[in-house]
Amino acid sequence: MSRYTGLSAFPITPCDPDGRVDAEALRGLLTPLVEAGVDSIGLLGSTGTYAYLAPDERRRAVEIAAALVGGRVPLLVGVGALRTDAAVALAREARAAGAEAGLLAPVSYTPLTEDEVVAHFAAVADGSGLPLVVYDNPGTTHFRFTPALLGRLARLPGIVAAKCPAPEPSGAAETVAALRAAVPDGFPVGFSGDWNVTAALLVGGDGWYSVAAGLFPRTCRAITRAAQAGDADRARALDGALAPLWDLFRAHSSLRVMYALAAARGIAATPPRPILPLPEAVQAQIVATVRRLDLA
């Protein structure tokens, strides 16, 4: 199995109000992921609030994670930045600290053209020597990859996989087929957007880049393994049982929900301002809902 397929778990990055990474809390989040047998860990993804962290804290988070994981689980690290030279520097540091691949999103203020995105990815891959996963997250970058653009990137040296937003289930087969037709044979195409991923896996998606797996790796691993085995009935049943959690993600954002759930576990993590914790009543509703689901 490729190191860029299967279940990739994306935890939050617990920090104090000043944005300093809480090493003990981060280790406490990562250890269960390793023990659950996830296929990779996505550190400093959007759920890991990479865009809000100072470069020193990003490097420190990678060092903490790499020391704990110790090669047992591939570590994929967010290296996105506004400037290409900054992304190259982050990717070099991530590689030196023990990352196996970088998650590169086309972060921008001025909207980027497709040629600019290709040049950006080529420069980061060439300048860092770190294998890169295309990180397509239009909800945060406001840039959307076409299949044709993904095909161009997939043929660049050093680009090893893609993380794409999962389509609505009704369009899963068409979307996956279009992406498959655009990229070289064997190029791994995985999906995010937890509530729609199972449908994408069942029609040929290679991986699940999962927010929920950051706290509930065994439950998400069971869904992934059922889909990989072609057991559609079991995968859909397990996914359907999580509908209340997916509803919470859609209503409040998966990031805010995960912070509320982390707080319920005693993890004193503060969302980076200007993001505020959800109101106490909403947090209580989230915790009560998830307890009824008996997630692991």
Side-chain angles (χ1 to χ4, degrees), residues 135-153:
Y135 197 174
D136 182 4
N137 190 351
T140 59
T141 64
H142 310 293
F143 181 91
R144 186 172 292 277
F145 289 80
T146 63
L149 175 57
L150 189 60
R152 291 175 66 186
L153 292 171

Side-chain angles (χ1 to χ4, degrees), residues 12-50:
I12 67 169
T13 307
C15 295
D16 66 21
D18 294 323
R20 183 166 176 79
V21 174
D22 183 330
E24 182 179 357
L26 181 57
R27 294 187 191 101
L29 288 171
L30 295 175
T31 297
L33 307 183
V34 176
E35 293 174 345
V38 301
D39 297 299
S40 63
I41 293 172
L43 190 75
L44 301 180
S46 296
T47 303
T49 57
Y50 73 94

